[in-house]
Amino acid sequence: MIKLSRHRRAIRIPIFVRVIILVVFFALLTTAFLLYNTFRKIYQPNVVLEGTKSALLFIPSGSSLEDVMKLLYENNLIHDRGSFEWLAEKKNYRNHIKPGRYRLENGMSNNSLINMLRSGRQEPVRLTFNNIRTHEELAGAISSRLEPDSVQILKLLRDNSFLSQFDYDTRTVMALFVPNTYEFFWNIPPQAFFERMQNENNRFWNRERQVKLKNTGLTRTEAYTLASIVEEETVKAEEYPVIAGVYMNRIKRGMRLQADPTIKFAIGNFSVNRILKKHLEVDSPYNTYKYAGLPPGPIRMPSIAAIDGVLNFEKHQYLFFCAKEDFSGYHRFAKTLQEHNRNARLYQEALNRRGIMR
């Protein structure tokens, strides 16, 4: 009868098996580390903003990957530069640079950031037009919010050949711009910007306004020009249709408009409080004391309310108006020159009492 030993013999693992186990273990450990490191480079937060939830990044047209990285680094928007550059190369961002205005959120990962920049998913810019009198002011307003600089825009505003494609010239181009707030992509090219403005202009002149425009006998540009004068004449919007009616009466009768705001435009000084005889002698097509009809173009960008005031001009018999002597901003209206002269004398005496000589 065979007897079993009380103690089993210990199993000895061959050394080459131990080596294999260690190699597999370290391989798995290395793989796990590499996977974690890769995950971290791709998905962990890498946009770190101090004291704010978001920041804007402006990428100019023609930028390279190096330019973008310089913008990110100089503005301290990226925490780990190496991981960003690694993923940017992996995603071939170098060949997909899209200019624009981008909003970066605090805690964004490299993956989210590069996907946004690579796809061109930029944030629009809101641009508001109002209270603009000159081409220089208009160019400045545009360049303050969009990529094209003021010199570039001003050059186009003074280029009749360029403006002719929109049926405007250097004197009438202001009428292309309907005062309002618009959204643009920051890097919109100048050509596309003007085309957008033309589309907005056509949208503004809808069927209802076109019918009213026809009743005035004016063109779009003429109505815009008259509105620019009307708005300079009064700060009271309720007077727009009345004053527009005065000018419409003068136009129909072939009378000179004799609008003081056009003199201010002609001499290039809107701060003048009192129009003097020397001002009336200026030789300019905008001098409506010297030349009949509307001036060759707008003297400012009028509000929509002023434009609608012209389209809804009041039908009456007034041919004159003068600011009230109480400086309330309202006007006295007159049908005859004699009546108007009395009103004007009251206002001039009020100016003298206040010592307003210019």
Side-chain angles (χ1 to χ4, degrees), residues 55-220:
L56 291 172
L57 175 68
F58 294 87
I59 300 178
S61 298
S63 294
S64 65
L65 175 58
E66 286 68 30
D67 294 327
V68 176
M69 291 190 297
K70 184 178 180 181
L71 289 170
L72 291 169
Y73 301 160
E74 287 183 347
N75 290 285
N76 297 316
L77 298 174
I78 293 294
H79 174 66
D80 183 350
R81 300 182 181 184
S83 64
F84 174 80
E85 294 175 18
W86 173 82
L87 190 59
E89 293 294 349
K90 290 293 183 182
K91 285 181 168 287
N92 195 26
Y93 176 48
R94 179 181 298 277
N95 294 317
H96 295 86
I97 306 293
K98 291 183 172 61
R101 174 182 184 267
Y102 298 91
R103 184 171 294 278
L104 279 59
E105 302 291 341
N106 188 35
M108 287 182 79
S109 66
N110 286 327
N111 192 59
S112 297
L113 174 59
I114 294 172
N115 283 348
M116 179 179 70
L117 299 179
R118 194 176 186 276
S119 65
R121 196 168 66 251
Q122 58 176 302
E123 183 179 79
V125 176
R126 292 174 67 84
L127 174 60
T128 300
F129 294 126
N130 56 27
N131 299 323
I132 293 175
R133 288 195 175 100
T134 67
H135 291 172
E136 290 80 5
E137 289 180 1
L138 178 57
I142 296 169
S143 65
S144 69
R145 301 291 291 165
L146 303 177
E147 183 181 26
D149 63 41
S150 58
V151 174
Q152 187 178 14
I153 296 296
L154 189 57
K155 183 178 179 181
L156 295 177
L157 290 172
R158 293 173 172 173
D159 186 345
N160 279 324
S161 177
F162 172 78
L163 296 175
S164 64
Q165 65 185 295
F166 305 103
D167 295 325
Y168 290 96
D169 58 33
T170 56
R171 296 178 301 180
T172 61
V173 64
M174 191 70 77
L176 173 65
F177 301 90
V178 177
N180 213 328
T181 298
Y182 304 97
E183 284 194 349
F184 300 90
F185 285 129
W186 174 74
N187 59 308
I188 184 172
Q191 176 74 30
F193 172 80
F194 278 86
E195 290 172 355
R196 166 72 184 284
M197 286 294 90
Q198 185 179 47
N199 291 335
E200 294 293 345
N201 187 290
N202 291 333
R203 188 174 292 112
F204 172 79
W205 289 102
N206 55 29
R207 181 175 297 180
E208 181 182 357
R209 286 194 174 97
Q210 289 279 39
V211 170
K212 292 180 179 181
L213 180 66
K214 186 176 181 180
N215 291 333
T216 67
L218 303 174
T219 66
R220 290 184 186 183

